[in-house]
Structures are given as structure tokens and as C-alpha cells.
């Protein structure tokens, strides 16, 4: 495994649907390099896919940053999805299964929460949205 | 990247060969729904073996394909969902309910052969 300090933060612009594929591929590469099992790397890649699509769908553009985490002896990975879009007026509802303002499945954000270990959302109407999710190597 | 669609007898077989963008998946959906009519196909197989991520968009769109193809009078089978992908889908709560899935292409063809043959003698 590569030492964490040589792995740089990688922030990627999300502005088209091919960026969704690039971001999730990058997430998988970083996760595997940190020592995540392939199964967990798939969970992380799927979560990034959902977060990147939300950026495109609701804000038009934004960025995804993937960075390694250390907590004592534990190693993990953080994904920060940030946009300056319209924000979410009712974040509590956005976390409910089946709730969607876009006519889609409404499993995006609640699904991401289930895929990852930690989930944080900062948003308000007109203020953009930042979602931070973390997963730790068990 | 476009997904090649092979016409084999009464069936259409779409084999996904690499990661797809949302636009690619929508294009695949539209092509299959159109070609079912053009070739008067009875069954459609979508092989997703090469997909390393099936998120809510991919799953929702494949489910739409299956339902649209059914409305056009043919049956869809999705084959090749990988173990890690299945694990992630279950975590997300994505079930592909109402859509036939089989392990691989061989099982998918077997399913269509049985179903469509028995329908012919009904």
C-alpha cells in the first residue's frame, strides 16, 4: 500500500455525464490503492456515481473530491460532493426513500447513506449543497 | 460508447462491453424498443457482465427497457449482474422488481426458449 501522504487530494469537475463515469472510476482506483476490498470499492464507486449525478441533475455542475483519511490506525476514504446549485429546501425529505423532485426513483441520497459509513449534508435553498461521505476499512 | 445489438433469430442480444454514460444507456433503451418492432423480436437479452457499477439511473433505465419491451409484446432478460454489483444494489435498495434476471447469457437464452416455445403452443 502506498503511504497516505503521497496520495494527493483529487478534485474533479462534474459537468457532463461522462464525468460521472470518470469520478466513480477514480474513486474505485483510490479505494483499492488504500486497501479497500473490491466489494467495498464497488460500494464507494456506486455512491460516487449517485452523488455526481445529483450534482448534474440539480445544479448543472460542481465537483467531487476524493481523499484518504486516517483516524488512529484506521484508514478510510472521504468523498466530498460540492455544488453551488439551488440547494435542497427540505434536506430531511430528500433523505426519505422514494422522495424525488426530479421524477426519478428517489433512492439516490438515502441509498448513498446506506452504502457508506458516515454521511453529512450541508445545504439550504439558494446556498448550494455539500455532501460529505466516509467509509472506513473494517 | 454504443452498445452493439445482435439479432439472433427471434431475439435481440445487447452485450454491454464497457462502462456506459447515462446517454449511452438511454440510447440503448430507445434502440431496443425500436428494434423489437423492426425485427418482430420475441425476446431481448441485455448482458451487463461488463458493468462494474449499476446505480439508480442504470437500474431504473434497464427496468424501463424491460417494461417498454413488454408493452411492445416481447420479453426481456437481464443477465450477468456481478456479485459485487448485486451487493451494492441490495445496499442501495435497488431490486429490479418485475424484471427477469438470469445468471448468464446461456441461462437467459434457455429462459426465453422455454417461455416463447410454450407460448407458441398455448
Amino acid at each position: 500500500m502506498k503511504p497516505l501522504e503521497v496520495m494527493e487530494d483529487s478534485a474533479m469537475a462534474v459537468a457532463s455525464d461522462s464525468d460521472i463515469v470518470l469520478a466513480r472510476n477514480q474513486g474505485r482506483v483510490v479505494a483499492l490503492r488504500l486497501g479497500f476490498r473490491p466489494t467495498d470499492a464497488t460500494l464507494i464507486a456506486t455512491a460516487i456515481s449517485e452523488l455526481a449525478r445529483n450534482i448534474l441533475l440539480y445544479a448543472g455542475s460542481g465537483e467531487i473530491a476524493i481523499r484518504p483519511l486516517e483516524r488512529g490506525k484506521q484508514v478510510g476514504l472521504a468523498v466530498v460532493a460540492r455544488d453551488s446549485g439551488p440547494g435542497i429546501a427540505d434536506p430531511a425529505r430528500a433523505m426519505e426513500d422514494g422522495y424525488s423532485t426530479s421524477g426519478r426513483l428517489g433512492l439516490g441520497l438515502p441509498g448513498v447513506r446506506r452504502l457508506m459509513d458516515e454521511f453529512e449534508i450541508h445545504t439550504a435553498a439558494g446556498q448550494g449543497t455539500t455532501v460529505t461521505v466516509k467509509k472506513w476499512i473494517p | 460508447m454504443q452498445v452493439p445489438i445482435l439479432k439472433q433469430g427471434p431475439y435481440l442480444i445487447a452485450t454491454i462491453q464497457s462502462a456506459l454514460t447515462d446517454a449511452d444507456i438511454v440510447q440503448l433503451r430507445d434502440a431496443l424498443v425500436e428494434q423489437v418492432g423492426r425485427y418482430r423480436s420475441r425476446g431481448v437479452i441485455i448482458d451487463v457482465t461488463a458493468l462494474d457499477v449499476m446505480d439508480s439511473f442504470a437500474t431504473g433505465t434497464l427496468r424501463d427497457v424491460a417494461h417498454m419491451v413488454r408493452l411492445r409484446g416481447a420479453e426481456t432478460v437481464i443477465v450477468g449482474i456481478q456479485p459485487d454489483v448485486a451487493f451494492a444494489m441490495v445496499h442501495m435498495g435497488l431490486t429490479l422488481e418485475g424484471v427477469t434476471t438470469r445468471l448468464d447469457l446461456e441461462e437467459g437464452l434457455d429462459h426465453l426458449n422455454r417461455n416463447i416455445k410454450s407460448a407458441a403452443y398455448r
Side-chain angles (χ1 to χ4, degrees), chain A residues 17-18 20-21 24-25 28 37-40 42-43 45-47 49-50 53 56 97 104-105 107-108 110-112 114-115, chain B residues 19-24 51-61 63-64 84-85 87-95:
Chain A
D17 69 352
S18 54
I20 299 177
V21 177
R24 73 182 182 220
N25 285 348
R28 181 189 298 277
R37 292 179 307 146
T39 301
D40 286 332
T42 298
L43 299 187
T46 308
S49 200
E50 296 294 335
R53 179 168 302 96
L56 269 188
D97 273 335
R104 309 210 59 84
L105 291 179
L107 285 169
V112 168
R114 285 192 289 265
L115 292 171
Chain B
L20 299 181
T21 64
D22 295 357
D24 295 333
L51 283 188
D52 64 348
V53 168
M54 277 182 56
D55 61 8
S56 62
F57 186 85
T59 307
T61 309
R63 200 184 56 181
D64 289 349
D84 287 351
V85 173
F87 187 69
M89 287 173 69
V90 168
H91 269 246
M92 285 275 295
L94 300 169
T95 56

Side-chain angles (χ1 to χ4, degrees), chain A residues 58-97:
Chain A
Y58 296 105
S61 67
E63 64 168 37
I64 298 260
I66 298 164
R67 60 166 190 267
L69 295 172
E70 263 184 300
R71 187 172 63 188
K73 283 187 174 170
Q74 255 194 316
V75 171
L77 176 149
V79 178
V80 183
R82 193 180 294 118
D83 68 63
S84 340
I88 302 173
D90 190 348
R93 280 212 80 187
M95 294 309 299
E96 287 173 15
D97 273 335

Side-chain angles (χ1 to χ4, degrees), chain B:
Chain B
M1 196 191 140
Q2 270 204 31
V3 178
I5 300 173
L6 181 76
K7 179 187 175 301
Q8 179 150 346
Y11 307 140
L12 296 175
I13 302 173
T15 307
I16 296 170
Q17 302 187 324
S18 67
L20 299 181
T21 64
D22 295 357
D24 295 333
I25 300 177
V26 167
Q27 189 178 44
L28 174 65
R29 178 196 69 196
D30 295 345
L32 284 172
V33 172
E34 189 266 323
Q35 289 185 26
V36 156
R38 194 197 314 164
Y39 298 118
R40 310 190 75 79
S41 302
R42 306 295 307 274
V44 171
I45 294 180
I46 305 173
D47 188 345
V48 300
T49 305
L51 283 188
D52 64 348
V53 168
M54 277 182 56
D55 61 8
S56 62
F57 186 85
T59 307
T61 309
L62 289 180
R63 200 184 56 181
D64 289 349
V65 172
H67 294 164
M68 290 164 80
V69 164
R70 180 170 300 144
L71 288 170
R72 301 270 282 151
E75 193 182 345
T76 301
V77 188
I78 294 178
V79 303
I81 296 177
Q82 294 301 296
D84 287 351
V85 173
F87 187 69
M89 287 173 69
V90 168
H91 269 246
M92 285 275 295
L94 300 169
T95 56
L96 275 177
E97 218 164 302
V99 178
T100 305
T101 54
R102 287 293 181 270
L103 184 66
D104 55 20
L105 186 57
E106 192 183 337
E107 296 283 336
L109 279 168
D110 189 56
H111 171 82
L112 286 180
N113 284 336
R114 281 166 203 271
N115 267 30
I116 285 162
K117 220 175 250 166
S118 64
Y121 293 109
R122 214 170 271 161

